[in-house]
Amino acid sequence: MDIFIPAVIVLAGYVWLVLRANRTFHAIRKERFEHTNSAGVLEFSTYEELHAFEKREGHNKLWINLSAVPGGVIPLAAIFAIIASVVEMS
């Protein structure tokens, strides 16, 4: 029981992180689509808007990479901890 609750919290946090990164990814894709002209060039009215967009895009890529590559081990360990706790309780 000592491991069960933290493992569930870690697993829920990981799911939340993946869902939030996915939602942000689709919002960035929509913004990219809305700022692309008919020639396929990304246009912004000011440099600050471009910089803010690129910054959001970079942060989202970082979170997606963190959740996919090293973060894939964390939920797997949490699932194993939950299974071990359930087996131990029975």
Side-chain angles (χ1 to χ4, degrees):
M1 189 68 174
D2 294 339
I3 298 174
F4 182 76
I5 294 173
V8 169
I9 291 171
V10 166
L11 194 57
Y14 179 77
V15 168
W16 176 81
L17 174 69
V18 169
L19 290 175
R20 183 161 187 237
N22 186 39
R23 188 179 323 122
T24 306
F25 172 75
H26 287 293
I28 289 172
R29 283 190 63 192
K30 181 181 180 204
E31 188 174 352
R32 179 178 286 279
F33 176 78
E34 290 171 350
H35 284 92
T36 302
N37 65 13
S38 61
V41 177
L42 194 62
E43 288 184 338
F44 289 93
S45 58
T46 64
Y47 175 75
E48 287 77 21
E49 286 181 14
L50 173 65
H51 183 68
F53 175 77
E54 288 175 343
K55 189 175 180 181
R56 275 193 320 277
E57 193 173 37
H59 284 141
N60 192 54
K61 284 180 184 179
L62 171 71
W63 284 112
I64 287 173
N65 288 335
L66 285 176
S67 66
V69 180
V73 175
I74 294 170
L76 188 61
I79 290 170
F80 286 145
I82 291 170
I83 292 170
S85 295
V86 168
V87 168
E88 183 181 306
M89 282 187 242
S90 8

